[in-house]
């Protein structure tokens, strides 16, 4: 390295840098990533399945599995085609629909058990994704029975 600052030849500078990289490579300990792409997606889906009724945020997921929040957000959107938040909303609404169709629980109880903390946000999301209100869906299902 001595005299490198005086070296005007680009090739000589590159040679020294390659030599340093080679030494680093010999002594570095590389970790093999346990999670390939399929395993990471499985871990994300498992997290949502277990935590959808509670704190099912991307921040909590990133903390729990040791990935960067921004990386997970981009990875999920690229791999699945929708944002993590939208996926969680779809999951929660699917579960709420299941409860409303297969139990005598109130709409509020179904919303709370599906992870919503506000009936207002539940109704808004329900209408946005299904095109009708929860009451309209229940009434339609009752008429079909």
């Amino acid at each position: 390295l001595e005299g490198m600052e005086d070296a005007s030849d680009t090739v000589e500078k590159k040679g020294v840098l390659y030599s340093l990289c080679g030494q680093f490579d010999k002594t570095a300990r590389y970790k093999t990533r346990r999670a390939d792409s399929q395993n990471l997606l499985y871990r994300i889906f498992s997290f949502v399945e277990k935590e959808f009724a509670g704190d099912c945020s991307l921040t909590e997921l990133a903390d729990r599995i040791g990935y960067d929040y921004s990386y997970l957000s981009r990875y999920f959107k690229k791999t699945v085609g929708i944002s993590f938040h939208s996926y969680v909303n779809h999951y929660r609404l699917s579960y709420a629909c299941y409860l409303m169709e297969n139990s005598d629980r109130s709409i509020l109880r179904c919303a709370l058990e599906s992870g919503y903390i506000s009936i207002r946000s539940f109704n808004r999301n329900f209408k946005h994704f299904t095109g009708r209100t929860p009451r309209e869906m229940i009434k339609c299902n009752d008429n079909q029975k």
Side-chain angles (χ1 to χ4, degrees), residues 130-145:
T130 66
R132 53 189 174 173
T133 66
R135 287 212 189 284
E136 290 170 340
M137 189 197 91
I138 289 172
K139 190 180 287 187
C140 181
N141 288 345
D142 286 343
N143 290 338
Q144 292 177 357
K145 289 180 182 178

Side-chain angles (χ1 to χ4, degrees), residues 19-127:
S19 178
L20 284 172
C21 288
Q23 288 301 315
F24 175 78
D25 189 48
K26 287 178 187 175
T27 59
R29 293 184 189 169
Y30 295 103
K31 279 187 164 181
T32 306
R33 272 243 187 227
R34 287 184 337 143
D36 61 354
S37 184
Q38 296 283 9
N39 191 18
L40 178 55
L41 203 53
Y42 173 78
R43 291 170 72 190
I44 294 170
F45 289 146
S46 293
F47 172 81
V48 173
E49 185 178 336
K50 291 174 189 162
E51 303 296 334
F52 74 94
D55 184 11
C56 192
S57 66
L58 192 55
T59 302
E60 179 63 25
L61 171 64
D63 286 347
R64 188 140 343 147
I65 67 173
Y67 276 81
D68 179 67
Y69 173 93
S70 298
Y71 172 79
L72 280 178
S73 179
R74 286 188 311 272
Y75 170 81
F76 193 84
K77 174 81 173 175
K78 180 181 174 190
T79 307
V80 179
I82 60 173
S83 71
F84 179 80
H85 183 72
S86 290
Y87 177 76
V88 171
N89 273 332
H90 278 93
Y91 195 96
R92 287 175 170 166
L93 288 171
S94 293
Y95 187 72
C97 286
Y98 172 81
L99 291 176
M100 287 188 289
E101 291 173 0
N102 297 292
S103 73
D104 292 333
R105 291 175 177 92
S106 68
I107 293 173
L108 176 60
R109 175 70 22 218
C110 292
L112 293 173
E113 288 181 26
S114 299
Y116 284 93
I117 56 173
S118 157
I119 191 69
R120 184 174 177 211
S121 63
F122 172 72
N123 286 330
R124 184 179 55 245
N125 282 331
F126 195 95
K127 176 102 177 172

Side-chain angles (χ1 to χ4, degrees), residues 12-24:
E12 188 177 339
K13 290 178 183 177
K14 286 182 180 180
V16 170
L17 290 173
Y18 282 125
S19 178
L20 284 172
C21 288
Q23 288 301 315
F24 175 78

